[in-house]
Amino acid sequence: MQDGNDSVCKTSYADAILGLHDKGYVQISRSSLGREFADPTSDVVISGSHNDELHLKDYTDAAKHKTTLKSFKLPFGKDDEGVNGDVGIVIVNNMLLTGFDAPVEQVMYLDKVIVAHGLLQAIARVNRVGGQSKDKGFVIDYVGIGHHLKKALDNYDEREQKEVVDVLSFPEQELLELKASHDAIFALLEQHGLTDLTDHDAFFDVFYDEDLRFEFMSLFKQFTKNLNLVFPAKEALDYMGDYQALVEINVLAAKHFRDARLSMKGIPPKLRTITDAFLESRGIDVKVEPISILDEDFQKEVKKHDRNKTKAAEIEHAVRHHLDVELNDDPELQASFAEALQQIFEEFANNWTKIHEALEKLRQRIINAGKEPTYGLHRKKQMPIFRMLKREIFGEPFSGDAPVTAAEPVAPCSMQEEEKIGKLVALTQHLYMEIERELKLTGFWESIPARNKLMADLQKTLLQPEFAKLPKLVVNRKLIISRLMEIAQKNNDVIQYAA
């Protein structure tokens, strides 16, 4: 609630109602508003009587009232049956006291003493939920209704009083809360030596600690909320410079760490318009995804950082994102690179120069993996099966697997590489056909008999004479079948629908 001496919220998306204490003010108010509010048009809704002066007749027409109020309730620029939404301000006297519901109404300029239940109804008009752009309603108090509000609340019990009071806010308190949230976030930054808001690498190094990053996010969210409540009052402008600098840090950190929690989705529309324009002026496009580790320009982005820790973090989080998103359908390859990533940090703990060098080598390995030959197999549908078979049959078992004891020693493999590949390709194709056929059944994964049948069919294929002599296949068949089922479930949609 604000009094007439404070800054008034005038926003392009908000409609307003003015309550005037006398009909004689109508013409003066309309002419003044015409100059002050350039975008919306205004109209008057008042009750008429036989003694009204002639110039008031135009404003007491019930049919015209209906059109005016319909226009007021429509969003700006919208039309409905010949009525547009241009009316943004309605001047009222002794009208619309009950039964008037306009969620778009956000501001009430009050120039009339209202008491008791009528006062609460008036305040409630601007408190309707009205879409994403409406955060709260405003009552601009020109006559001093505060003590009347207290008396009006005295007619209700304690629970009902609390419900009303909880939805009221006052500019003085909002300013205090804004200052407190601003001071809190800057106290955190100062505590960790982050005093230069343009030194983004320093922020990235501190935010490498996920707990600190989350603490920053929480404080930034609260600062955003408090600033949005005060803006566009002139007092909010004192905080806009710091806020825009923090927005830039937030966006760049989101790209650096591939952390969706730092996205701009939580910025309210009122502030988002301003922050988007600021970021554009800084050459930052929030719609552009962070550069992929496969991109030939990735290293150019990394080299923009001065510190080895920042460079290493850029590669690390880009690799983790790639493993989670791009290799999600290939658990074998995903697990292999995840294990390599973990080993780097265990081997070179806190030696960021070595970590940076090792991560770059790992990135090159990931790039090369995407270039490996597919031998005529589908890269997304069949190659995950091929890689798993190659490891289980011709390589060592997965680390952490229980050792499998064969009934007879496994003979050393004497196959030439070309023969190995031929056998693996043929086996992959046979197994894939079994999986693809069964996955087409409706509700396959919910049916235990259907899953058991597929596992039995997979075992029959593995034990066919042309494959059974492959080293480790027979003794590892249970593990191989389990891995095949895991791949099939994770890649269910890819197997069924990918081109």
Side-chain angles (χ1 to χ4, degrees), residues 134-164:
K134 182 178 177 181
D135 304 297
K136 63 177 179 179
F138 295 86
V139 177
I140 314 301
D141 178 14
Y142 286 94
V143 290
I145 61 168
H147 65 288
H148 294 296
L149 178 59
K150 185 177 184 305
K151 288 182 180 180
L153 290 174
D154 288 341
N155 295 322
Y156 296 86
D157 62 32
E158 185 177 346
R159 180 184 61 81
E160 291 172 319
Q161 287 183 26
K162 186 177 185 303
E163 288 178 355
V164 175

Side-chain angles (χ1 to χ4, degrees), residues 271-334:
L271 294 177
R272 184 68 186 263
T273 302
I274 297 170
T275 56
D276 281 357
F278 170 75
L279 292 171
E280 184 178 353
S281 73
R282 300 283 295 165
I284 301 171
D285 190 343
V286 296
K287 296 179 181 178
V288 175
E289 292 293 325
I291 191 168
S292 167
I293 62 169
L294 305 180
D295 196 297
E296 60 184 15
D297 290 329
F298 179 82
Q299 262 303 316
K300 292 181 182 178
E301 291 294 316
V302 173
K303 289 178 180 178
K304 290 179 181 179
H305 304 298
D306 296 325
R307 301 174 176 87
N308 279 321
K309 180 178 180 180
T310 317
K311 293 176 181 178
E314 175 94 21
I315 302 174
E316 176 200 348
H317 288 89
V319 167
R320 292 189 188 281
H321 178 79
H322 184 82
L323 299 187
D324 290 342
V325 176
E326 300 300 329
L327 296 186
N328 186 51
D329 55 2
D330 195 337
E332 174 71 18
L333 205 56
Q334 186 184 55

Side-chain angles (χ1 to χ4, degrees), residues 72-90:
F72 180 76
K73 293 180 180 183
L74 287 172
F76 288 123
K78 298 294 183 179
D79 290 276
D80 183 20
E81 297 179 350
V83 178
N84 60 46
D86 291 348
V87 174
I89 303 163
V90 178

Side-chain angles (χ1 to χ4, degrees), residues 24 34 61 64 72 74 175 217 222 238 306 380 422 439 494:
D61 186 330
K64 189 169 182 293
F72 180 76
L74 287 172
L175 282 172
M217 285 188 284
Q222 187 61 46
D238 296 336
D306 296 325
K380 290 290 186 181
L439 291 190
V494 173

Side-chain angles (χ1 to χ4, degrees), residues 374-380 382-383 386 424-426 428-429:
T374 60
Y375 312 107
L377 298 174
H378 192 288
R379 185 175 296 278
K380 290 290 186 181
Q382 296 173 318
M383 281 302 289
F386 176 87
L424 286 173
V425 168
T428 298
Q429 290 172 334

